[in-house]
Amino acid sequence: MQSHSLSKKFTLFILVVLSILSFSCKEKSYPPRTVRIAIQPSAAFIPLYIARYSNLIENALAPKNVTVVWQDFESGPPMNDSLEADLTDIGVIGDVPTIRALSSSTKMKLVGIPASGPNAYAMLANLEDKTLNSYKDIKGKKIATVFGSTGHNFIKKLLEKAKLSFEDISFLNIAASDAEYVLRTGKADAIVIWEPNITRLVDKGVAKIIAQGDETDLRGTNGFVVREEYLTGNEDIISEILNQYAEAVKQIPTLDEEMLSKLSLALKISADQIKSISQKYDFAVEITREDIDALQDTISFLVSINNLEYEYRVERKIDINYYKKNN
């Protein structure tokens, strides 16, 4: 009888232990949430496309009951409009749109740097033009780019290096999509543009590079910008997006044909071009002192051309707490 009693007690003990283990192993219940991620077809954001096509972010957030909505934009300005209108939660944008977003009446934060790349910007001349071979030859020339863009800032830096000013050139404001037409037709002697347009025009035999970003202190800093209102209560979501972006960066050297094909379609360039262009960027997430200084320089530039009302301190718009570098 005593043996039977001990057996029953042992069985009861096992059941209690299993019940405790079962309860402790139950997945935490999360309320349904959504994150809207804005992306644009720039080579600077190749890792985010990789994360998208590999479902890295969806898989990481699924246990937290988070739905990921991808939003495609052609450029930074309409993305900013969407962020301001509470139609987007987080976006990846270039340095000028980043500065504009952070100065918006809608409070936003810079939480990471997806990429920087000075040589993702270049001054191009027509391949047949023998008079233009470097930035030192631009005096008296017609130079075209998008007014108020990083390209515009790059022209300013090249002029200063050549001990010239905007009065020494004819400046032409164009849309980025018109760059090839402007150069082919001679409406401008040179254009300043960014990737993947640089590689596309050079490989087509339309243009030659006469100056690159690293000939100045241009950094070409891009940003992860988030609505401040969204950050409250969704810190874990933003952290996971940044973490998965960093994971995608690691995949770049070993991309398979299927992924390269998807990237080619999104960016409208070949697989070989993707490989060469990606080498021009420092893909990262962490915000460095160099990034902060570069963005502050962009603020000063925009104020100098009366394209931004006032000069603010970019440090006050940054939050570095969402990405923890994993060594």
Side-chain angles (χ1 to χ4, degrees):
M1 291 292 293
Q2 187 176 5
S3 175
H4 180 67
S5 176
L6 287 172
S7 177
K8 287 180 65 176
K9 287 180 179 179
F10 181 75
T11 302
L12 181 61
F13 172 76
I14 293 298
L15 290 172
V16 169
V17 170
L18 290 174
S19 177
I20 292 171
L21 288 173
S22 174
F23 179 81
S24 64
C25 290
K26 277 186 178 178
E27 195 173 282
K28 182 179 177 182
S29 178
Y30 288 91
R33 290 180 291 171
T34 299
V35 61
R36 299 165 295 182
I37 306 173
I39 192 169
Q40 56 176 306
S42 165
F45 311 127
I46 284 174
L48 192 58
Y49 277 104
I50 294 171
R52 179 183 188 177
Y53 297 143
S54 301
N55 291 319
L56 290 178
I57 295 172
E58 285 86 346
N59 293 339
L61 291 176
K64 296 187 176 186
N65 202 14
V66 178
T67 299
V68 178
V69 177
W70 291 95
Q71 300 173 323
D72 292 283
F73 291 85
E74 282 300 315
S75 61
M79 192 183 294
N80 276 357
D81 291 341
S82 188
L83 281 161
E84 289 182 20
D86 188 15
L87 299 174
T88 293
D89 301 311
I90 179 171
V92 281
I93 44 182
D95 59 350
V96 170
T98 292
I99 292 308
R100 295 202 174 285
L102 297 178
S103 67
S104 165
S105 57
T106 302
K107 290 184 178 179
M108 301 189 204
K109 287 288 186 182
L110 179 71
V111 296
I113 301 296
S116 60
N119 287 349
Y121 297 85
M123 179 176 283
L124 307 179
N126 192 293
L127 187 63
E128 306 302 322
D129 191 338
K130 306 303 182 185
T131 68
L132 265 175
N133 297 296
S134 84
Y135 69 90
K136 297 175 183 177
D137 302 325
I138 62 176
K139 185 174 182 179
K141 301 292 186 179
K142 291 181 291 184
I143 313 296
T145 196
V146 180
F147 179 85
S149 67
T150 308
H152 192 170
N153 194 12
F154 181 34
I155 293 174
K156 178 174 180 287
K157 291 177 181 297
L158 288 174
L159 286 168
E160 290 170 350
K161 189 171 183 181
K163 296 181 170 50
L164 300 171
S165 70
F166 277 101
E167 294 179 355
D168 292 305
I169 64 168
S170 296
F171 180 85
L172 180 63
N173 179 28
I174 61 168
S177 57
D178 292 335
E180 181 175 352
Y181 168 77
V182 167
L183 201 57
R184 278 187 181 276
T185 58
K187 291 187 179 296
D189 298 302
I191 59 170
V192 172
I193 202 68
W194 41 89
E195 292 291 7
N197 302 288
I198 298 166
T199 296
R200 190 183 294 122
L201 293 177
V202 170
D203 286 357
K204 285 173 72 173
V206 174
K208 60 182 177 181
I209 296 173
I210 62 172
Q212 294 190 112
D214 67 357
E215 294 179 63
T216 68
D217 63 351
L218 186 77
R219 185 168 172 80
T221 300
N222 298 272
F224 275 107
V225 175
V226 187
R227 284 188 306 106
E228 214 172 290
E229 184 180 7
Y230 184 80
L231 284 171
T232 306
N234 295 306
E235 297 90 344
D236 56 331
I237 293 177
I238 298 304
S239 290
E240 199 59 70
I241 290 171
L242 298 181
N243 290 339
Q244 294 308 315
Y245 186 92
E247 286 301 312
V249 170
K250 298 175 185 177
Q251 296 183 19
I252 292 176
T254 57
L255 294 176
D256 59 28
E257 292 303 316
E258 182 181 358
M259 181 58 70
L260 284 169
S261 177
K262 290 178 179 179
L263 293 173
S264 295
L265 188 62
L267 300 176
K268 296 180 174 60
I269 50 178
S270 71
D272 286 340
Q273 288 173 328
I274 287 171
K275 292 175 184 177
S276 64
I277 291 171
S278 65
Q279 294 175 16
K280 294 186 177 185
Y281 290 96
D282 175 18
F283 293 111
V285 180
E286 187 178 17
I287 302 173
T288 66
R289 182 71 246 176
E290 290 80 8
D291 296 317
I292 295 170
D293 290 343
L295 290 171
Q296 195 65 49
D297 175 76
T298 300
I299 292 173
S300 299
F301 162 69
L302 292 173
V303 171
S304 76
I305 62 170
N306 299 315
N307 208 231
L308 189 68
E309 288 185 12
Y310 65 98
E311 184 151 350
Y312 63 89
R313 300 308 301 172
V314 74
E315 287 100 328
R316 297 174 184 173
K317 308 286 186 175
I318 291 172
D319 195 330
I320 63 172
N321 295 313
Y322 296 95
Y323 174 65
K324 306 299 181 185
K325 189 173 183 180
N326 184 9
N327 294 319

